[in-house]
Amino acid sequence: MDGAHGTALQLQQLPPASSADPVSEASFSYKENLIGALLAIFGHLVVSIALNLQKYCHIRLAGSKDPRAYFKTKTWWLGLFLMLLGELGVFASYAFAPLSLIVPLSAVSVIASAIIGIIFIKEKWKPKDFLRRYILSFVGCGLAIVGTYLLVTFAPNSHEKMTGENIIRHLVSWPFLLYMLVEIILFCLLLYFYKERNANNIVVILLLVALLGSMTVVTVKAVAGMLVLSIQGNLQLDYPIFYVMFVCMVATAIYQAAFLGQASQMYDSSLIASVGYILSTTVAITAGAIFYLDFLGEDVLHVCMFALGCLIAFLGVFLITRNRKKAIPFEPYISMDAMPDEGAG
């Protein structure tokens, strides 16, 4: 017990006081951040391609009498395989990089979907008309890329082994318990107004999604980190907290999907994408900062530049999605289960 307690205390120090070579330690942190960021970018990009492939199948078979005809096409199954591969990449990324870095990178899905959507358009445009029609998408993509660069460059470098003891220690810390109390009260109030008072405002619904999503990403990081440690030989699967986190991860993800489905019946997918991205990212970063202490020990400049990266990415996503419903003529034929920018999360 004394040894475990000493290890936990040592892990709390950021940067580790026992580090003999601070430069190599910092280099290792940046390397892990880069691995996590690349995995997340790869995952979101592949998921976006996968969902657009499946969307393409649905469009081509829209007039078919068999509602499940797309199951018989190779393209749809290729999309499913790529989706699973992409989701695996995003899941693995949480084991390497701080939650606050991985969550905003879902903007990659929006960028990729905008570019793929333009490629799918069959209409012929003169260069001038084409530029005028898609100027918002181009500007939005540029801003989102700049924001993503700032996020990766100025992301927090807090790295901690996701052992069962560390997860439990974070779970019972008073800042997180206070945060959970506030979140539960807010969630119950929003749910009451949504169900009993018919408050169907998109912000209400997507705030419910964001609150659930913050718990999803917190548990995903715990589960992914413990699995990676177990694969490396430090078995963590004998801790009950692993299964608690796994159940919470699945449950919150299912309820998230349910609320998103309800939102899709009332609002345009582009509006859901932009508002959902902004709310979910903001709440998830807050949860990560409180649970995993992502920004502990970071200097003010890095935190401000990271926040600036988030704001620029938010603006980029807003501009992309604002232009999308006019830009993609086949969008009205697409159901929410094939929405390209809600793939990972």
Side-chain angles (χ1 to χ4, degrees), residues 110-242:
V110 185
I111 299 171
S113 296
I115 296 171
I116 294 171
I118 293 173
I119 293 172
F120 266 95
I121 294 173
K122 303 297 182 183
E123 298 178 35
K124 301 293 183 183
W125 297 90
K126 292 180 181 177
K128 237 184 232 182
D129 295 334
F130 183 85
L131 183 62
R132 185 163 55 246
R133 188 172 181 87
Y134 293 104
I135 186 67
L136 283 180
S137 291
F138 291 137
V139 172
C141 285
L143 287 173
I145 290 170
V146 170
T148 301
Y149 172 78
L150 290 176
L151 289 170
V152 174
T153 304
F154 296 99
N157 286 304
S158 60
H159 291 272
E160 180 183 47
K161 297 293 184 183
M162 291 293 103
T163 61
E165 292 94 342
N166 288 335
I167 298 298
I168 293 171
R169 176 168 55 82
H170 288 304
L171 197 60
V172 299
S173 64
W174 70 263
F176 182 70
L177 292 176
L178 181 61
Y179 171 81
M180 278 300 300
L181 178 63
V182 173
E183 179 166 308
I184 290 171
I185 292 172
L186 181 58
F187 183 85
C188 290
L189 285 173
L190 289 171
L191 192 61
Y192 170 76
F193 283 109
Y194 175 56
K195 294 292 186 181
E196 301 298 328
R197 301 286 184 174
N198 294 319
N200 293 330
N201 186 281
I202 188 171
V203 174
V204 173
I205 303 173
L206 293 183
L207 199 48
L208 288 167
V209 173
L211 292 172
L212 287 168
S214 68
M215 290 300 99
T216 302
V217 294
V218 164
T219 52
V220 163
K221 180 167 178 61
V223 171
M226 294 177 80
L227 281 174
V228 168
L229 281 180
S230 298
I231 292 171
Q232 291 174 346
N234 186 3
L235 187 64
Q236 300 296 314
L237 304 186
D238 53 351
Y239 286 94
I241 191 64
F242 172 82

Side-chain angles (χ1 to χ4, degrees), residues 50-338:
L51 289 175
N52 277 281
L53 281 174
Q54 292 187 325
K55 173 191 286 187
Y56 180 68
C57 283
H58 282 275
I59 294 163
R60 288 189 61 190
L61 300 172
S64 174
K65 295 180 181 179
D66 183 3
R68 298 181 179 274
Y70 50 86
F71 282 138
K72 301 173 184 177
T73 64
K74 293 180 181 179
T75 307
W76 191 89
W77 286 104
L78 174 62
L80 180 62
F81 170 76
L82 290 176
M83 187 192 304
L84 294 174
L85 180 64
E87 293 287 4
L88 181 62
V90 175
F91 178 80
S93 68
Y94 282 93
F96 293 95
L99 185 153
S100 301
L101 168 60
I102 299 302
V103 170
L105 292 180
S106 58
V108 173
S109 291
V110 185
I111 299 171
S113 296
I115 296 171
I116 294 171
I118 293 173
I119 293 172
F120 266 95
I121 294 173
K122 303 297 182 183
E123 298 178 35
K124 301 293 183 183
W125 297 90
K126 292 180 181 177
K128 237 184 232 182
D129 295 334
F130 183 85
L131 183 62
R132 185 163 55 246
R133 188 172 181 87
Y134 293 104
I135 186 67
L136 283 180
S137 291
F138 291 137
V139 172
C141 285
L143 287 173
I145 290 170
V146 170
T148 301
Y149 172 78
L150 290 176
L151 289 170
V152 174
T153 304
F154 296 99
N157 286 304
S158 60
H159 291 272
E160 180 183 47
K161 297 293 184 183
M162 291 293 103
T163 61
E165 292 94 342
N166 288 335
I167 298 298
I168 293 171
R169 176 168 55 82
H170 288 304
L171 197 60
V172 299
S173 64
W174 70 263
F176 182 70
L177 292 176
L178 181 61
Y179 171 81
M180 278 300 300
L181 178 63
V182 173
E183 179 166 308
I184 290 171
I185 292 172
L186 181 58
F187 183 85
C188 290
L189 285 173
L190 289 171
L191 192 61
Y192 170 76
F193 283 109
Y194 175 56
K195 294 292 186 181
E196 301 298 328
R197 301 286 184 174
N198 294 319
N200 293 330
N201 186 281
I202 188 171
V203 174
V204 173
I205 303 173
L206 293 183
L207 199 48
L208 288 167
V209 173
L211 292 172
L212 287 168
S214 68
M215 290 300 99
T216 302
V217 294
V218 164
T219 52
V220 163
K221 180 167 178 61
V223 171
M226 294 177 80
L227 281 174
V228 168
L229 281 180
S230 298
I231 292 171
Q232 291 174 346
N234 186 3
L235 187 64
Q236 300 296 314
L237 304 186
D238 53 351
Y239 286 94
I241 191 64
F242 172 82
Y243 302 97
V244 172
M245 288 293 192
F246 182 82
V247 170
C248 289
M249 177 183 73
V250 174
T252 53
I254 289 172
Y255 281 107
Q256 254 188 289
F259 282 117
L260 273 176
Q262 293 169 27
S264 69
Q265 297 173 10
M266 294 180 277
Y267 296 98
D268 180 79
S269 63
S270 298
L271 185 61
I272 293 172
S274 58
V275 177
Y277 173 74
I278 293 170
L279 290 177
S280 295
T281 300
T282 303
V283 178
I285 289 176
T286 303
I290 294 172
F291 189 89
Y292 292 110
L293 307 175
D294 281 351
F295 294 96
L296 186 65
E298 295 292 325
D299 59 72
V300 176
L301 177 62
H302 271 70
V303 174
C304 290
M305 292 302 292
F306 180 83
L308 178 63
C310 285
L311 291 175
I312 293 174
F314 289 167
L315 180 58
V317 168
F318 173 75
L319 291 177
I320 294 170
T321 53
R322 185 170 178 230
N323 198 46
R324 178 179 301 164
K325 56 187 174 185
K326 298 183 201 174
I328 302 178
F330 56 73
E331 183 71 12
Y333 302 99
I334 304 308
S335 58
M336 270 297 296
D337 60 350

